[in-house]
């Protein structure tokens, strides 16, 4: 219905005003990135008309792109600076990575489902967001060769913050992650302070599970491993 550029842009500006500004997102750089990145390009084409609604959407393989407010909120809580190098675990559609790429110098993002990673890579390339590196694999191990990171964002839910990710944070850097079982989690933010960490609970959220060595085990893997 509104498959032209102007209407998508209008819908996006409305999304930012109603879903973000009116709910207390105040970081102007985050709001600008959310106005700029064409969210519809990161969802399947038959869902383009729904891309600016106040809801997560399916992206295939049982995975979802998060609700715009959650993307903005998590991003704002990282306080990114233009020179930062950021790690994301759980690329999914690539939308969160696109937002991060507007706010930081370099984004590293890891996705375990190869086809999602491939799709995200293509869209990011088409949009000219060339400061995002995507890797296929178990992101619960992090990306040791590129560490330390100035910020880490985990967009799938783990039983606890994966220890390798804490190890890969720069001193004083934040990590944000949903912690808990499938369906219901607490969003936590942790700061690394020397060899200690400082953790705060932010808000309840619902993310898909982080499946991996330092996440939840894949269904059926218990049998395979005995
Ligand atoms: N940030 C995404 C949404 C994340 S959905 C976006 O903006 O669209 C969570 C993603 O995490 C899914 O694509 C899922 O396949 C992926 N995932 C789950 N476990 C993972 C792991 N161990 N390593 C990397 N990615 C993982």
């Amino acid at each position: 219905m509104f498959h032209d550029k102007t209407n998508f842009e209008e819908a996006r500006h409305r999304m930012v005003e109603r879903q973000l500004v009116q709910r207390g997102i105040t970081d102007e750089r985050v709001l600008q990135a959310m106005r700029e990145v064409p969210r519809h390009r990161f969802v399947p084409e038959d869902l383009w008309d729904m891309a600016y609604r106040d809801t997560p959407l399916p992206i295939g393989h049982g995975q979802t792109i998060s609700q715009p407010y959650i993307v903005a909120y998590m991003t704002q809580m990282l306080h990114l600076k233009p020179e930062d190098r950021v790690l994301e675990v759980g690329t999914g559609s690539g939308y969160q990575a696109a937002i991060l790429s507007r706010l930081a110098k370099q984004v590293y993002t890891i996705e375990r489902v190869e086809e999602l990673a491939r799709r995200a890579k293509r869209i990011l390339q088409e949009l000219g967001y060339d400061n995002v590196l995507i890797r296929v694999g178990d992101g619960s191990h992090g990306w040791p060769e590129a560490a330390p990171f100035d910020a880490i964002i985990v967009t799938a839910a783990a039983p606890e913050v994966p220890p390798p990710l804490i190890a890969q944070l720069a001193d004083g850097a934040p990590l944000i992650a949903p912690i808990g079982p499938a369906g219901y989690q607490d969003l936590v933010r942790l700061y690394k302070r020397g060899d200690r960490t400082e953790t705060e609970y932010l808000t309840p959220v619902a993310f898909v599970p982080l499946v991996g060595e330092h996440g939840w085990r894949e269904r059926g893997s218990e049998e395979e491993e005995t």
Side-chain angles (χ1 to χ4, degrees), residues 4-189:
D4 72 71
K5 211 172 170 220
T6 330
N7 283 335
F8 279 127
E9 201 170 316
E10 261 174 47
R12 195 152 61 237
H13 281 246
R14 219 165 28 238
M15 167 190 91
V16 168
E17 192 50 42
R18 293 186 189 163
Q19 299 174 37
L20 310 184
V21 175
Q22 288 184 21
R23 283 195 198 129
I25 304 293
T26 52
D27 185 328
E28 199 39 57
R29 292 181 70 229
V30 173
L31 295 171
Q32 194 46 42
M34 299 284 298
R35 280 187 202 106
E36 183 184 316
V37 176
R39 180 175 164 91
H40 63 281
R41 298 291 307 277
F42 294 86
V43 304
E45 203 165 343
D46 58 332
L47 296 179
W48 278 15
D49 284 346
M50 294 179 69
Y52 298 100
R53 292 200 191 163
D54 189 14
T55 179
L57 291 169
I59 54 170
H61 298 271
Q63 308 302 326
T64 52
I65 178 175
S66 304
Q67 180 191 10
Y69 175 75
I70 291 292
V71 173
Y73 179 77
M74 289 174 80
T75 307
Q76 172 167 279
M77 293 310 272
L78 290 174
H79 301 296
L80 296 174
K81 296 183 290 301
E83 64 271 23
D84 283 351
R85 297 163 61 259
V86 185
L87 173 67
E88 178 193 30
V89 177
T91 314
S93 68
Y95 178 68
Q96 174 73 70
I99 296 292
L100 297 171
S101 80
R102 307 298 81 201
L103 299 167
K105 183 168 180 209
Q106 180 70 49
V107 179
Y108 299 82
T109 181
I110 312 174
E111 170 56 54
R112 72 185 277 276
V113 179
E114 190 175 353
E115 203 210 330
L116 291 178
R118 209 173 329 121
R119 242 191 277 158
K121 188 171 181 176
R122 180 170 51 76
I123 296 157
L124 290 163
Q125 250 162 22
E126 283 173 14
L127 294 171
Y129 299 162
D130 56 10
N131 57 339
V132 182
L133 283 170
I134 305 186
R135 166 184 279 189
V136 177
D138 175 5
S140 76
H141 295 291
W143 193 318
E145 311 89 285
F149 296 100
D150 302 304
I152 298 180
I153 176 169
V154 184
T155 60
E160 56 166 6
V161 178
L165 300 185
I166 299 175
Q168 291 169 35
L169 275 177
D171 195 28
L175 173 153
I176 193 162
I179 300 299
Y184 180 89
Q185 307 102 29
D186 285 312
L187 190 63
V188 309
R189 182 173 62 179

